[in-house]
Amino acid sequence: MAPTAGRESWLDGTESSGTTPLETPTATPLATPISARSVRWEKDVEDAAAGALQRPLLYKRGTNTTSQMAIVGANTCPIESLDYEIVENDVYNQDWRSRGKLQIFQYQVLKWVLALLVGVVVGLVGFFSNIAVENIAGFKLLLTGDLMLQNRYLAAFELYIGCNAVLAAAAAALCAYVAPAAAGSGIPEVKAYLNGIDAHSILAPSTLLVKILGSVLGVSAGFVLGKEGPMVHTGSCVASLLAQGGSRKYGLTWNWIRYFKNDLDRRDLITCGAAAGVAAAFRAPVGGVLFALEEVTSWWRSALLWRTFSTTAVATMVLHALITYCRGGHCGLFGKGGLIMFDLSSRQATYTATDLAAVVLLAVLGGLLGALFNFLVDRVLRAYSIVNEKGACYKIVLTVTISVITSCCTFGLPWLTACTPCPPELASKCPTIGRSGNFKNFQCPPGQYNALASLFFNTNDDAIRNLFSAGYDREFGVSTLLTFFTTVYTLGLLTYGVAVPSGLFIPVILSGASFGRLAGTLLGSVSGLDPGLFALLGAAAFLGGTMRMTVSVCVILLELTNDLLLLPLIMLVLLIAKTVADCFNKGVYEQIVRMKGLPYLEVHAEPCTRSLVAGDVVSGPLVTFSSVERVGTVVHTLRSTGHNGFPVIEDPPFAPAPELCGLVLRSHLLVLLQGRIFTSDRVKTGAAEVFRRLAPFDFAKAGSGKGIKVDDLDLTEEEMDMYMDLHPITNRSPYTVVENMSLAKAAVLFRGLGLRHMCVLPRTQGFRLLNQMKNNLMMHMKRRKL
């Protein structure tokens, strides 16, 4: 659980238990655990005690808006965790007992209907994004090209740079003023959400709208970015909107989705949405499933695998059907293709030992350059945070500045390249007159083309298609490829972090493809592989070196090329590039999650936790409730603490000796208080009284910001002196561990089960159990790296 006001966090992975119900929370110093004083990790423990692991990476002013511009070094207190655990209390049991066979069948059918509906919507969004980018960028390049044909070069440059600046300013304004959470890729936020972190506004309807529009405007503005990463975020936002039954704020609600008002079902559907986003971006349904499994999710099961695959299949079929329809000329001047569809032709993939040596060298260099890219992205984001935290206007100015720099590079650098005569065998295709193609005429006379303009004066997707092209090895020279690689590598670093929805897939693929084709051109005398194949392998090397994904990237590239003969080479390149890059730093998304301050819990516990036990990191005094508690005590505790869960103790006269009754959630306490199910005496009322006044769905989780707040309660003094029975809303079977369990083992158990609370019980049992539990019962493991 992320810390909130009045909470102290310990060891970067645990949270203080707070105070007794009648006391105000105070900070309690953390002593060095006895079991860790003589181990080599003592310095880590001392740093934790000094609060070193709690401190943000940067000390900057600003609020947490979940965009990388404002969140670097910002306070993470507003971030809450998600309750993926099923709360098995009387309310939950009554809910399932009250459901008939028809309602259970309806629940199961709705799971599939919503999953397939997410695929349809994401496919439509992907199609809309493709057509919008193709038309906006197409008209911009067509008008600029017409002016170039008339030798009005200055007017063409002014039009080109003006259009890009306006589009960039519009995208930045949307992100800065409407939905700051829409800026950036969105994959780190989705990754954190599926790990259990409910960061503010990352899946809000406004974020969805700005993500779509801002991505279209940003890509059309000529930035070195892509909309593949934003498509993952878009799919997650669509799934979240459907899973929570719409949005009350915008008047879009559906009561028949009430079964899904819990974090568990929402998480499953959002996983389907993230996978559908990848499928819609690359037309790779299997790659989308593997991407969700390998990169973003922390929890997986076979039923979710089948449902996710169905979602990606539907998204791909919808997108394919619409693209096929448009290729018949029914979608206007620029509606005959999808710019993010890299339809690569099959190529011969026979290779010798010399070819393998060249491929291994390419993979090693790709891993090194990928690790360097991650290092520089970290530095660029830190520098941009200084500017962006000053306000929305500064974000827009920074975005427009990067747009002007990009426009000057893409329009100006081709002038430094000499024109090349068109090859006689390609007379029908060279030069290209229009928006896209391999042989751009630019300022060259008839019968000649500008090789650098064929890459720069194009959309990013068409540039990738040109680099992947095969059949004419002398299309791009060494100087052209070296200039393009250096420029794109630099602009990709400068662009990521501005206030527009921006993905890293396209910059990385562009850099890798140009570097790979450059290597193929240089090694042409010793290797028989096609330069286009080298470009594909270079893209794979850069993807492995930056994002550290192997299986999903391999399948995505295979689905793009439709050639299984490339499988051994792609696997070899990805494994080598990832291994080399892992020697220097982590993947780019892991770095961004850490920079944002999102309390992400890693798969593997830190080595120092193997020398600690669970009892070493708990702290007290603990906030507990009696099974029948005074209303005033509950209200005061909720106001004075920020805890989400509280242990409930069964004590006399309801039990012969104090014992753990279970765990009660803050949200359920607030529902019970609002329902005013009180008694004048300290007696059990049972579940019947609760069900007489409240329905099980009253305890369902509300949408973001729609839950009951303790300040909303208007209780009289007489009601504050009454009692409330907590048995009906208490989870009688919370996950517990003994205090001598290894902290590493407890952390793996905590993450693997998707928990938010874990009780640490003492080994000693008996009449004095309550006093011991007040010192070391609850371990609120906040979802941060231990």
Side-chain angles (χ1 to χ4, degrees):
M1 180 194 302
T4 57
R7 274 190 257 187
E8 296 292 331
S9 53
W10 312 118
L11 256 170
D12 204 28
T14 60
E15 185 175 80
S16 77
S17 305
T19 63
T20 57
L22 297 180
E23 296 176 349
T24 302
T26 56
T28 304
L30 178 66
T32 303
I34 296 176
S35 61
R37 289 175 182 166
S38 60
V39 297
R40 58 180 295 192
W41 307 104
E42 184 175 2
K43 184 178 183 301
D44 294 339
V45 179
E46 291 175 354
D47 290 343
L53 298 181
Q54 306 173 54
R55 290 194 288 266
L57 298 179
L58 295 176
Y59 291 94
K60 304 295 178 188
R61 296 180 301 276
T63 57
N64 184 344
T65 61
T66 73
S67 65
Q68 63 261 31
M69 293 81 67
I71 205 170
V72 175
N75 189 359
T76 60
C77 289
I79 300 178
E80 283 285 345
S81 297
L82 298 167
D83 291 299
Y84 290 152
E85 178 186 359
I86 296 177
V87 180
E88 295 181 342
N89 52 23
D90 292 342
V91 173
Y92 174 82
N93 294 332
Q94 174 64 21
D95 180 23
W96 276 99
R97 282 195 299 264
S98 63
R99 296 184 187 182
K101 292 183 179 180
L102 180 61
Q103 290 177 308
I104 295 176
F105 177 76
Q106 180 186 15
Y107 171 69
Q108 297 296 333
V109 170
L110 281 178
K111 278 188 175 182
W112 283 96
V113 170
L114 287 177
L116 299 180
L117 184 60
V118 167
V120 172
V121 175
V122 173
L124 292 174
V125 171
F127 171 75
F128 165 77
S129 299
N130 288 339
I131 296 301
V133 169
E134 195 167 357
N135 280 275
I136 296 175
F139 278 110
K140 177 191 69 177
L141 295 174
L142 181 62
L143 294 176
T144 306
D146 290 341
L147 293 176
M148 294 286 291
L149 292 176
Q150 301 173 18
N151 296 328
R152 299 173 59 186
Y153 302 128
L154 180 59
F157 175 69
E158 292 175 349
L159 174 66
Y160 183 74
I161 195 173
C163 290
N164 287 341
V166 171
L167 293 171
L174 286 174
C175 290
Y177 290 107
V178 180
S185 170
I187 293 180
E189 288 87 349
V190 175
K191 184 182 178 75
Y193 183 92
L194 295 178
N195 188 255
I197 306 304
D198 191 13
H200 178 66
S201 297
I202 62 174
L203 300 176
S206 58
T207 303
L208 171 62
L209 179 63
V210 174
K211 200 76 178 183
I212 297 173
L213 297 179
S215 177
V216 170
L217 294 174
V219 175
S220 302
F223 281 120
V224 182
L225 53 83
K227 51 185 179 295
E228 287 68 27
M231 276 300 299
V232 175
H233 195 181
T234 298
S236 301
C237 291
V238 170
S240 175
L241 185 64
L242 293 176
Q244 66 182 3
S247 173
R248 294 182 183 178
K249 180 179 179 181
Y250 299 99
L252 302 173
T253 57
W254 302 280
N255 292 328
W256 51 276
I257 315 255
R258 60 184 184 273
Y259 295 123
F260 297 89
K261 288 187 176 296
N262 60 82
D263 291 330
L264 184 63
D265 286 323
R266 289 181 189 177
R267 177 192 63 183
D268 290 349
L269 198 60
I270 288 171
T271 302
C272 296
V278 176
F282 293 106
R283 200 167 54 184
V286 180
V289 175
L290 293 177
F291 175 84
L293 173 61
E294 181 180 9
E295 182 63 20
V296 297
T297 59
S298 302
W299 170 268
W300 200 263
R301 62 184 186 277
S302 57
L304 180 60
L305 175 66
W306 178 229
R307 198 155 61 246
T308 303
F309 180 74
S310 302
T311 304
T312 58
V314 170
T316 305
M317 288 188 292
V318 169
L319 193 62
H320 178 75
L322 292 173
I323 292 296
T324 303
Y325 174 78
C326 285
R327 283 177 178 171
H330 305 288
C331 298
L333 181 61
F334 300 103
K336 294 185 178 181
L339 296 184
I340 55 177
M341 302 299 175
F342 305 131
D343 294 316
L344 308 180
S345 58
S346 178
R347 51 174 60 87
Q348 186 70 23
T350 57
Y351 39 85
T352 63
T354 305
D355 297 333
L356 289 178
V359 170
V360 170
L361 176 62
L362 177 65
V364 172
L365 294 176
L368 293 174
L369 290 172
L372 177 62
F373 187 89
N374 292 359
F375 173 79
L376 295 176
V377 162
D378 181 273
R379 294 299 182 269
V380 169
L381 291 181
R382 292 171 185 268
Y384 281 178
S385 67
I386 301 175
V387 178
N388 288 317
E389 70 172 357
K390 295 181 180 180
C393 293
Y394 288 86
K395 296 179 182 180
I396 298 176
V397 170
L398 176 61
T399 303
V400 173
T401 301
I402 299 300
S403 173
V404 171
I405 294 175
T406 303
S407 300
C408 292
C409 291
T410 55
F411 192 92
L413 288 177
W415 290 87
L416 305 178
T417 303
C419 296
T420 305
C422 292
E425 63 272 19
L426 298 177
S428 59
K429 300 180 180 179
C430 179
T432 299
I433 305 297
R435 182 181 57 85
S436 63
N438 287 38
F439 306 94
K440 280 286 184 178
N441 180 260
F442 204 61
Q443 89 291 6
C444 296
Q448 299 185 18
Y449 72 95
N450 189 311
L452 200 54
S454 299
L455 299 175
F456 274 131
F457 203 65
N458 243 324
T459 63
N460 296 328
D461 304 286
D462 286 333
I464 294 175
R465 189 176 291 107
N466 293 344
L467 290 169
F468 284 166
S469 63
Y472 184 64
D473 300 346
R474 299 183 301 276
E475 179 181 350
F476 304 109
V478 173
S479 60
T480 297
L481 293 172
L482 181 61
T483 302
F484 183 75
F485 165 71
T486 305
T487 305
V488 168
Y489 192 87
T490 304
L491 290 178
L493 291 169
L494 295 178
T495 304
Y496 193 78
V498 298
V500 295
S502 55
L504 282 174
F505 273 100
I506 291 300
V508 171
I509 293 177
L510 267 176
S511 301
S514 56
F515 181 79
R517 192 166 186 111
L518 174 62
T521 303
L522 293 175
L523 298 176
S525 58
V526 297
S527 175
L529 296 180
D530 187 90
L533 177 56
F534 265 104
L536 176 65
L537 296 178
F542 270 59
L543 287 171
T546 55
M547 301 179 183
R548 313 298 162 84
M549 293 182 292
T550 54
V551 180
S552 57
V553 170
C554 181
V555 173
I556 288 173
L557 292 177
L558 286 177
E559 289 183 287
L560 289 177
T561 58
N562 194 27
D563 195 345
L564 287 176
L565 296 176
L566 300 178
L567 178 61
L569 291 179
I570 295 177
M571 291 176 63
L572 178 65
V573 167
L574 286 171
L575 290 174
I576 295 176
K578 182 182 184 302
T579 303
V580 171
D582 282 339
C583 298
F584 299 95
N585 48 36
K586 292 187 176 183
V588 63
Y589 294 133
E590 286 77 7
Q591 287 188 177
I592 295 174
V593 166
R594 183 172 178 268
M595 291 182 65
K596 287 173 174 289
L598 298 173
Y600 184 83
L601 195 62
E602 298 287 353
V603 178
H604 305 290
E606 290 291 337
C608 63
T609 60
R610 303 187 185 279
S611 302
L612 300 173
V613 296
D616 289 333
V617 297
V618 296
S619 59
L622 178 71
V623 180
T624 62
F625 288 132
S626 297
S627 56
V628 180
E629 188 60 87
R630 181 175 168 270
V631 175
T633 301
V634 175
V635 173
H636 180 82
T637 302
L638 295 179
R639 286 177 176 171
S640 58
T641 66
H643 303 329
N644 178 71
F646 303 88
V648 177
I649 306 302
E650 191 83 271
D651 50 10
F654 307 108
E659 61 183 19
L660 177 64
C661 179
L663 190 73
V664 64
L665 299 182
R666 167 184 287 265
S667 59
H668 292 177
L669 287 171
L670 290 172
V671 173
L672 206 62
L673 288 169
Q674 189 181 53
R676 287 172 166 76
I677 305 177
F678 308 144
T679 59
S680 57
D681 298 323
R682 192 168 182 262
V683 296
K684 285 186 177 181
T685 59
E689 182 66 19
V690 175
F691 299 141
R692 188 173 65 84
R693 302 189 188 183
L694 298 173
F697 288 114
D698 292 331
F699 293 89
K701 182 174 180 178
S704 301
K706 300 299 182 181
I708 305 172
K709 304 296 189 298
V710 65
D711 294 333
D712 299 335
L713 301 175
D714 186 17
L715 301 176
T716 64
E717 291 295 332
E718 181 181 358
E719 291 173 327
M720 296 286 279
D721 291 331
M722 300 178 74
Y723 294 89
M724 54 190 299
D725 184 9
L726 304 185
H727 287 95
I729 61 173
T730 299
N731 182 8
R732 306 293 183 89
S733 57
Y735 285 94
T736 60
V737 298
V738 293
E739 60 182 349
N740 60 340
M741 176 182 282
S742 165
L743 183 59
K745 186 176 181 180
V748 172
L749 179 67
F750 187 86
R751 185 186 190 276
L753 295 175
L755 304 180
R756 184 174 184 178
H757 308 97
M758 178 181 287
C759 297
V760 180
L761 297 178
R763 290 175 295 176
T764 305
Q765 304 295 326
F767 182 75
R768 294 182 298 175
L769 176 64
L770 177 59
N771 292 330
Q772 297 173 18
M773 289 170 62
K774 283 184 177 292
N775 291 324
N776 60 354
L777 173 66
M778 176 68 71
M779 182 170 64
H780 277 202
M781 296 185 69
K782 155 186 82 169
R783 291 183 176 269
R784 291 185 63 178
K785 183 179 68 174
L786 286 172

